Amino acid sequence: MCYDAVIFDNDGVLTKPTLLEVQREAVRRAFDEFDVEPTTETVDGVINGGLTRLRRICAVHDVPVDDFWSHHETHAAATQRACLENGTKPLYDDVAALDDIDHPLAVVSNNQHATIEHILDVFDIGDRFEVAYGRDPTVEGARVKKPDPHYIERAMGELGVDSALYVGDSNVDVVAADRAGIDSAFIRRPHRDGYQLAAEPTYELDSLDELLAVC
């Protein structure tokens, strides 16, 4: 199949996923801005619960959701920047395979846009991608993250392409690609061993080295 562009998720595709305790620390720091000491259950609810649960949690603690989320995004970007610099969130070795792909490349991630900028900067790979999007640091930015196709469609518009392959490591990536009307490649990294796919990707890969044969 010939594609006009290849678009990549970041966490679990280009870099290793952010450790859960790092994500929790960002949530705790955001609550600390409002003198709230959350339980681990509350912290994990913010991380995994979606916007409806976020609003409920903020209401319980009498915290303005927009202000809380702004603080969270700032702290999440800062804690992940530290991980990038101390080696606990490394780049996968097979990212070098991107040099052999003769298509425009882009990044579309559910992570903060600031974190994506930090990754491109710390690993000096910004010149490999024509477009890079993380989520905007607002509640609205979180609302339109994957599986919503918003950022994928935005990237394709900026690239000026009609077809693309989206490479991800989760169900939300496969669903977002399908909603954007494009093909998907699911990469089964070691952290996805035994992971059950709820939607069928166009391709399943073990490594980015296999992309050249696909596109």
Side-chain angles (χ1 to χ4, degrees):
M1 183 71 183
C2 183
Y3 299 101
D4 295 333
V6 184
I7 307 174
F8 297 86
D9 179 32
N10 176 68
D11 294 80
V13 177
L14 302 179
T15 68
K16 290 190 176 181
T18 303
L19 297 173
L20 176 58
E21 192 50 46
V22 174
Q23 298 178 60
R24 285 172 170 169
E25 179 60 21
V27 176
R28 292 189 189 103
R29 290 184 186 183
F31 273 117
D32 190 53
E33 301 279 358
F34 302 92
D35 297 320
V36 173
E37 294 185 12
T39 64
T40 299
E41 181 182 1
T42 295
V43 170
D44 289 349
V46 172
I47 295 170
N48 301 312
L51 283 181
T52 299
R53 189 168 183 186
L54 172 66
R55 291 189 175 98
R56 189 181 306 124
I57 288 170
C58 286
V60 166
H61 294 284
D62 196 25
V63 171
V65 64
D66 290 313
D67 292 343
F68 171 83
W69 194 247
S70 178
H71 285 298
H72 170 267
E73 297 294 82
T74 298
H75 289 301
T79 54
Q80 290 184 95
R81 173 96 192 207
C83 292
L84 295 169
E85 294 175 345
N86 67 25
T88 55
K89 187 175 175 62
L91 202 67
Y92 286 105
D93 291 339
D94 59 6
V95 170
L98 275 58
D99 291 338
D100 297 323
I101 299 176
D102 190 24
H103 297 281
L105 306 181
V107 178
V108 170
S109 170
N110 273 358
N111 215 322
Q112 297 83 25
H113 186 70
T115 297
I116 299 308
E117 290 183 323
H118 292 161
I119 287 166
L120 300 183
D121 177 49
V122 169
F123 296 117
D124 194 24
I125 57 173
D127 60 348
R128 296 185 183 182
F129 303 99
E130 295 189 20
V131 175
Y133 282 118
R135 68 176 185 244
D136 293 333
T138 61
V139 171
E140 176 61 16
R143 186 187 70 79
V144 295
K145 70 180 184 178
K146 297 173 298 182
D148 193 292
H150 171 79
Y151 288 110
I152 292 178
E153 292 172 344
R154 191 170 161 185
M156 291 178 66
E158 189 166 338
L159 289 168
V161 300
D162 295 319
S163 71
L165 176 68
Y166 188 70
V167 184
D169 74 319
S170 70
N171 280 308
V172 296
D173 297 323
V174 176
V175 172
D178 185 63
R179 290 177 177 177
I182 62 174
D183 288 352
S184 61
F186 173 79
I187 183 165
R188 193 174 290 277
R189 299 288 195 190
H191 69 281
R192 290 306 194 197
D193 185 36
Y195 184 78
Q196 297 296 312
L197 285 167
E200 188 70 24
T202 313
Y203 312 97
E204 184 167 330
L205 313 174
D206 292 319
S207 167
L208 293 178
D209 292 323
E210 299 173 19
L211 264 182
L212 191 60
V214 169
C215 60

